[in-house]
Amino acid sequence: MMRDGYVARWRGREYEASPDGDNVRIYQPGPGDDFEPVRPGRFVRVLPLAEFEDVAYVRTTCTWKGEPFIVLAEHDTWLRVEYTGGRWPVAQALGLEEFDFGVYQGWAPASEVTDLREHRV
């Protein structure tokens, strides 16, 4: 599983999270422990930041065709990647789409990606 987003550890378990000021929303796929339904398969609970053992941002990085990327998502055998090398000619040569000014993204075959690493910030 490729992760790119906040996580929070509460009662020894890690949850997908969304900080909101002095509170943190945590999510799980089923009901329980006072989690409220958001939609089918997604439940939320809001707790004060002080109740968490840890809150961090998790990002997955990789190398594709010798260049550095962030992994944003995965679908079947493909990874949605964002180029972090900062060189427009390289992004153009790789056939990446300009998602925003200076931000280049594309789909890479997972079999061509190396050095997958998860970083906690």
Side-chain angles (χ1 to χ4, degrees):
M1 177 176 72
M2 306 300 144
R3 299 193 299 175
D4 184 50
Y6 284 97
V7 294
R9 182 168 299 284
W10 178 62
R11 296 184 178 171
R13 183 172 163 209
E14 194 167 83
Y15 296 86
E16 180 185 339
S18 179
D20 185 16
D22 292 334
N23 294 317
V24 177
R25 291 184 304 276
I26 55 174
Y27 301 92
Q28 67 181 19
D33 287 328
D34 294 324
F35 279 75
E36 300 292 326
V38 175
R39 59 177 158 66
R42 188 147 171 98
F43 293 76
V44 66
R45 181 167 179 177
V46 180
L47 296 163
L49 179 61
E51 288 201 30
F52 292 92
E53 299 152 32
D54 182 46
V55 176
Y57 194 89
V58 174
R59 172 162 277 172
T60 303
T61 61
C62 71
T63 301
W64 180 49
K65 295 189 177 184
E67 299 296 333
F69 286 85
I70 296 167
V71 179
L72 302 174
E74 63 182 315
H75 180 73
D76 293 331
T77 60
W78 294 86
L79 299 178
R80 181 71 177 173
V81 294
E82 182 174 299
Y83 176 57
T84 59
R87 297 182 312 194
W88 174 80
V90 171
Q92 186 179 31
L94 290 170
L96 301 174
E97 308 160 30
E98 188 169 20
F99 182 76
D100 200 357
F101 181 75
V103 178
Y104 301 95
Q105 295 181 358
W107 287 97
S111 62
E112 295 180 8
V113 170
T114 60
D115 303 321
L116 278 169
R117 297 170 198 238
E118 192 172 278
H119 303 271
R120 294 176 78 85
V121 180

